[in-house]
Structures are given as C-alpha cells and as structure tokens.
Amino acid sequence: MRVHGDLRRGTGRDVGGDVLIRDVEVEGRGRVDVRVEGGRVAGIGRRLSGDAQVEGRGAALLPGLHDHHVHLMALAAEAASVRVGPAQIRGRDELAKSLRAGAPRKWVRAVGYHESVAGELDRWTLDALVPDRPVRVQHRGGAMWFLNSAALRAAGLESADGRLWREDGRLRALLPPVPLDLAGVGRRAAALGVTGFTNADPHPADGLAQTLSVLPQRLVVMGVDPPVKLVLDDLTLPAPADLAATVAAIRPRPVAVHCVTRVQLLVTLLALEEAGPVEGDRIEHGSVIPAEALPRLRRLGVTVVTQPHFPIERARAYATEVHPDDRPHLYRCRSLAEAGVPVAAGTDAPYGTHDPWAVMRAAVARDAAERLTPRAALGLFLGSPHRPERPRRVTVGSPADLCLLHVPLRQALDALTADAVRAAYVQGRPITEPAPDNEGAQ
C-alpha cells in the first residue's frame, strides 16, 4: 500500500480507506465501534454497521504514533552500515575487526562511533586500522565524519586530518551511493504503531520528499514543509540580532532551531524575542535548558521537541563528558510540562533508538524531577504532525491515522512496549496487516 506523498503532508488529494473497527476502547468513550470512511473517522458509537470489519475485542484504539524528530535517509542507510558504537564495539582491536570485514577494497560505512570505544579518530588512526580500503566513520552525534586516506583519495577530497564537520551535502555528491532500505524503515515503524514522521534534516536534498514518498507513513519534511530547520554550532554561533534577521526573513513560516548547548538556547530565545514568535516555532533537542529559561520559553510559546531517552541511553558518557553545571538540566521533560512549556518527543533515529516505546519507557525511568507518567510519556508521540503540542484523539472527523493494540490502554501503559501493537492505519488503510488476536482483551 502506498499513499501519495503530498497527501501524507496534508493536502488531502486521496480519499483514503474505509473500515469498521468493532468493540475497541477509545479514550474518553469506553468500548465502542469506530467507522472510517474516506480516510477519516466517520462514526463512533455502539452497534455501528459497515464493511471490512476488524474485531477489536476491547483493545485500545489510539491515534497513530508520530515521531516528531527523525532522520529517515540516515536511518534507511543503517542497513548498509557497520555499527561501531559503545553497545557493539569495545576497544581498538574490535573496531579494526569490524572495519576490515567485508569484500576487499570495497567502501566501508560505519556509524554510531563514540570516543569511549577507542579514543579520538582521525585519518591517521583509521589508516593504522584499515590502510587498504576506503573507510568513513560517522560520530554518534551525526555531525562529524572521519575518513581514512584511501577514502579521501577515492573521493578527491583534501583534509589534513580526515575530519569533516557537517559536510553531508558535499559527501553525498562525491561518495558512492548507499543502498537505502526505506521499505524496511516503513515496515519496522508500522509494526511499532508509527503512522507519521517529521524528517529533521537541516538541508533536505533535492527530491527528498519524493524519495521518502515510498514510505507508507504520513510525512512532514522540514524545509519542504514547515517548519524550517536552523542548526546552530557554538564555533559559528551568530549574534542574537543576526539570528533574528534570519528568522525574520523566514517568516511567516515557523522555525525549528537545533539547540544542544546552553548558549545556543540563549541566543535562540533572544532572537525569537526580537523577531517575534509565530505558531509552530520549535526548539529541537533542548539538550540543556537551565531553569531560568523556562519562563521565557513559556512566554514565547515555543514547543520543545526533545529526546528524553538520551540521559538513559548515554548515561555513562554524560556522567563524564557533560559539565556538572549542565547535568541537572539535560533533556528536560516533566519540568517543561509543569512550567507550561509544550513538549513533544522524537527518537532522533538513527542517532537514538528508532522505537518510540523505548523512548516512553526511558521517560518514565528518569529521575524524579523529569520523570513522566506512562500516559504523559505516550502523549509525547500523539501530537499533531505540524503542531506537536496539540494532542490528537480519536474523534469524529479526525484523520484515520490509527494504532490498534492487542490490549486495553491501562495494560499497554503498564508495559509501554511495541508488543502491544496489533495494527497501524494511515487514512484508514492498513500499513500493517492486523495481527491475529488469539486471546482478545477482557
């Protein structure tokens, strides 16, 4: 099943599917039937009639999950990459073995590297490990590539140390194309109940939206669709007035500003105050948000799209690499909500887990100041595609982007696992085949 790309960005050019999902638990309505016509929820009630029936047996029917910050092309390229992160590799010898595997003289693309594996990388370190084939290794953060001398020669690149910072566009033009498993990305996400993505690349390649249209999920492609992604780096950080001028030139479109340090957030807040906020403005990551910034965030009305799982996934690294003054302010979640700041979540895959349910579990496992309830953690992925702070519900007239579970909501919240997902629908059309529900729900 394919849904046209421009439809999934919200233009409504296709009528969608029809289905009657019987005896499901809809939050706020109890156990009801849900009828979908033309890709929207057409009726909610008891003893509804309709064709193409699916028996829910009292299981929960939710809005489909939306991953509000993900990098789909990089995620699709993972299948053709060697993973060399701390979870897979320990030490220089294991790194060398992983990079030497495969056919001789073929390019090696490795991802997920962190210094805790085998120290700092550069072309000379990689040459010592793998001298006879072109190798490129991406840092876990996604912004840095390390190339050995063979890779630099093959690409016709000049670099003293083989470190290329935010050079994805240039590398894309010079390096051999990477096989992309977009079908696998869509299939795996559908099995998790994901019915939508916001692709957060800062500079989308020409034709990216068309390339991604093979995915069955609804898509928001930053830079093609609003918002416009802006990436800040401390070494090239603009003055607040200069960033304000950039934002003003983008208006009336909203912006999504990548903020991973305290100073980046401060400059962004000053710039938004000067340029004036608009609906849909976002802070991406909000990695370090000091308490004194909370009132300004609330006043500006910006949404923070964060990754509450990073302090769990990267706890060991953060304990040594993050300045002690910043550690209490990492990836705020509960404190944002309590301060009246809208908050949503994205996986940031492939730089974090691709599983929203794992993100939810991490959000529930945070320290007391940032810990969410299971229902609030689920809500991080139930926001509207273009307005993640606006919760979606299964209501008459809403798009039929739906996630059918095997179990009632209470039971799903107890476990917060993708094992609870039975089927996913986009505009009423199944993007997974409904799994058998042998036991049913009581």
Side-chain angles (χ1 to χ4, degrees), residues 188-387:
R188 289 187 294 272
L192 300 172
V194 175
T195 60
F197 295 114
T198 294
N199 189 76
D201 297 347
H203 304 292
D206 291 342
L208 176 61
Q210 182 61 37
T211 300
L212 295 177
S213 69
V214 301
L215 292 165
Q217 283 81 8
R218 186 180 296 272
L219 292 173
V220 176
V221 180
M222 285 187 181
V224 178
D225 309 302
V228 176
K229 177 81 175 286
L230 298 177
V231 175
L232 303 182
D233 291 313
D234 283 359
L235 292 178
T236 58
L237 196 62
D242 293 334
L243 182 58
T246 299
V247 172
I250 290 169
R251 297 300 193 218
R253 291 174 295 169
V255 294
V257 188
H258 165 106
C259 293
V260 297
T261 66
R262 184 187 295 244
V263 67
Q264 289 171 18
L265 179 69
L266 176 60
V267 168
T268 298
L269 295 179
L270 291 171
L272 290 176
E273 287 173 344
E274 182 173 340
V278 301
E279 288 192 353
D281 281 342
R282 298 165 44 152
I283 300 294
E284 302 301 306
H285 307 299
S287 306
V288 182
I289 301 180
E292 57 268 24
L294 297 178
R296 300 175 85 170
L297 285 166
R298 179 180 180 180
R299 187 167 62 250
L300 287 165
V302 295
T303 297
V304 176
V305 178
T306 188
Q307 287 74 48
H309 50 306
F310 280 176
I312 303 293
E313 287 185 1
R314 303 177 178 182
R316 181 177 298 179
Y318 285 175
T320 57
E321 296 174 6
V322 175
H323 193 283
D325 289 347
D326 285 341
R327 288 177 203 154
H329 312 300
L330 288 174
Y331 293 95
R332 288 182 179 273
C333 213
R334 177 178 175 177
S335 59
L336 287 172
E338 290 180 342
V341 178
V343 60
T347 62
D348 200 26
Y351 312 116
T353 177
H354 72 289
D355 180 357
W357 298 93
V359 177
M360 296 176 214
R361 292 194 299 273
V364 171
R366 295 283 299 274
D367 60 70
E370 300 303 336
R371 182 180 304 142
L372 292 182
T373 66
R375 180 60 184 83
L378 173 63
L380 295 173
F381 293 93
L382 297 186
S384 299
H386 286 284
R387 298 297 303 274

Side-chain angles (χ1 to χ4, degrees), residues 72-81 178-189 211-212 214-215:
L72 291 165
M73 297 292 278
L75 183 57
E78 263 204 322
S81 305
V178 178
L180 298 176
D181 185 19
L182 282 167
V185 169
R187 185 172 58 251
R188 289 187 294 272
T211 300
L212 295 177
V214 301
L215 292 165

